[in-house]
Amino acid sequence: MYTLSSPPPAEDRSLWLKAILFVLIAAIGLYYVKWSPYYLKSFTAAAHHNIGASILDDNPADPLAAALTYAKAYFLAIWKAAVLGVILGSLVQVLIPQDWLLRLFGRAGMASTLRGGLFALPGMMCTCCAAPIVVGMRRQQVSAGAALAFWIANPVLNPATLVFMGFVLGWGFTALRLAAGVALVLGVSLIAQRIAGPEEIPEAALAAAAAASAPDQENILIRWARKLWQLSLSTLPVYILAVLALGAARVWLFPHIDGAMGNSLLWLVGLAVVGTLFMIPTAAEIPIVQSMLAAGLAMAPAVALLMTLPSISLPSLLMLRKSFNAKVLVTVALLTMLIGAVTGVVGALVL
């Protein structure tokens, strides 16, 4: 057996070529969907202290109109990233040798969780677009902690979002989001890992995975097409239905802002819960909170929204329903609400 740091034997060169192909596809896709657009948007944020209107500004009264209007705006904003997420989630099961993934992310613990969070930083995806990649990782037996850290760090520690936030809302918001985000990613992932149970990968399992990673006789395009279909079927229908349902529910979830919405426990906890369940495109929390603060929303519930809106959502939780047990997903949701509310209190004191 060889390690990742040693030169591969000649018969395993195809595995390295597949891994390089995966990295190239990911880099090209992310450059087109994320890196290039966000680089250009950073100049807009710096010059105008604004990155666009809030996606919630239409204020519809009819639930059906709210569902259709929001779904249209939402999917137009995220469809490229969603397609890329499904493609990468299927390719990680075909192009990356399973024993490599197990060595990096297979063991439960701090090191594996840290690696999961760090590998998420270039992705900059919203929680729903990152979910298919997490499904693919879990199907390759990546540990719960590492997979959750990858999932949550994508939106919460998104470097572009942190830069936009500094220019639009102020660098104090960025510092608070970064500190609370690290606590959220590591704390939630490690606690959820303990609830998921031990997932230590013994050497025998690594050996079996290495043997399974050897090139097989099936055409790689056929394998990829099968994985892509399975992943799409298990994630996209429930995703679309959940987006429509929450789009309709926003008639009640986001009431009209007035001066009465102060730093009370009711609004703090209420908006922390709403932010945890609702789904938004990447960085959309910034104009949402900017517009709500301008309309009179108090600082504590505003910061709670800023923390929870991007972190996870009900659609992304449903997309991962077969990748983690229900107790893990409920724990992740409750801890996200708690950290969002606590961050809101801190924000009201320091911002």
Side-chain angles (χ1 to χ4, degrees), residues 146-202:
L148 288 171
F150 179 88
W151 177 43
I152 302 172
N154 255 284
V156 172
L157 299 180
N158 183 330
T161 299
L162 294 173
V163 171
F164 301 158
M165 194 175 297
F167 285 128
V168 175
L169 298 176
W171 295 103
F173 283 88
T174 296
L176 180 59
R177 166 69 171 265
L178 179 59
V182 171
L184 177 63
V185 170
L186 296 180
V188 171
S189 300
L190 290 172
I191 292 172
Q193 175 71 77
R194 290 182 65 86
I195 293 174
E199 295 179 311
E200 291 293 335
I201 307 297

Side-chain angles (χ1 to χ4, degrees), residues 18-32 35 84 87-88 91 95 224:
K18 289 177 183 178
I20 292 171
L21 177 61
F22 177 86
V23 172
L24 286 175
I25 293 172
I28 293 171
L30 289 172
Y31 176 83
Y32 175 68
W35 300 341
L84 179 61
I87 290 174
L88 295 180
L91 287 177
L95 296 181
W224 173 62

Side-chain angles (χ1 to χ4, degrees), residues 58-351:
D58 54 327
N59 294 319
D62 176 61
L64 179 59
L68 297 177
T69 302
Y70 188 81
K72 179 181 178 181
Y74 174 78
F75 285 122
L76 284 175
I78 62 91
W79 74 268
K80 294 178 183 177
V83 170
L84 179 61
V86 173
I87 290 174
L88 295 180
S90 59
L91 287 177
V92 77
Q93 302 174 66
V94 176
L95 296 181
I96 305 297
Q98 187 181 17
D99 63 316
W100 294 15
L101 287 173
L102 293 182
R103 291 182 186 281
L104 283 172
F105 309 116
R107 290 182 171 86
M110 176 63 79
S112 181
T113 301
L114 277 173
R115 285 192 288 267
L118 290 173
F119 271 74
L121 297 183
M124 306 187 195
M125 288 191 170
C126 67
T127 178
C128 292
C129 297
I133 304 176
V134 176
V135 173
M137 294 169 69
R138 287 293 284 170
R139 289 180 178 176
Q140 296 293 87
Q141 282 76 57
V142 165
S143 72
L148 288 171
F150 179 88
W151 177 43
I152 302 172
N154 255 284
V156 172
L157 299 180
N158 183 330
T161 299
L162 294 173
V163 171
F164 301 158
M165 194 175 297
F167 285 128
V168 175
L169 298 176
W171 295 103
F173 283 88
T174 296
L176 180 59
R177 166 69 171 265
L178 179 59
V182 171
L184 177 63
V185 170
L186 296 180
V188 171
S189 300
L190 290 172
I191 292 172
Q193 175 71 77
R194 290 182 65 86
I195 293 174
E199 295 179 311
E200 291 293 335
I201 307 297
E203 284 301 314
L206 288 171
S213 298
D216 55 34
Q217 300 304 313
E218 186 178 23
N219 186 284
I220 190 171
L221 291 178
I222 295 176
R223 287 182 61 214
W224 173 62
R226 185 174 68 251
K227 297 294 185 182
L228 181 64
W229 170 252
Q230 293 171 347
L231 184 60
S232 300
L233 194 63
S234 67
T235 58
L236 295 184
V238 68
Y239 175 35
I240 294 170
L241 290 175
V243 168
L244 287 169
L246 284 174
R250 71 191 174 101
V251 172
W252 304 284
L253 293 177
F254 294 97
H256 178 69
I257 305 297
D258 58 39
M261 298 181 71
N263 287 322
S264 68
L265 185 63
L266 173 65
W267 289 117
L268 174 65
V269 174
L271 289 183
V273 173
V274 169
T276 300
L277 298 178
F278 202 71
M279 68 283 137
I280 58 168
T282 302
E285 70 271 21
I286 297 173
I288 289 173
V289 170
Q290 184 183 33
S291 66
M292 287 185 171
L293 285 171
L297 181 64
M299 184 62 70
V303 172
L305 268 182
L306 192 70
M307 196 70 222
T308 56
L309 270 174
S311 301
I312 62 172
S313 67
L314 180 59
S316 62
L317 288 167
L318 291 173
M319 294 167 79
L320 297 178
R321 69 196 184 281
K322 296 181 180 179
S323 301
F324 303 94
N325 64 51
K327 185 183 291 187
V328 168
L329 294 178
V330 169
T331 299
V332 169
L334 293 176
L335 288 175
T336 300
M337 296 173 191
L338 176 62
I339 292 176
V342 171
T343 307
V345 172
V346 175
L349 295 174
V350 303
L351 294 177

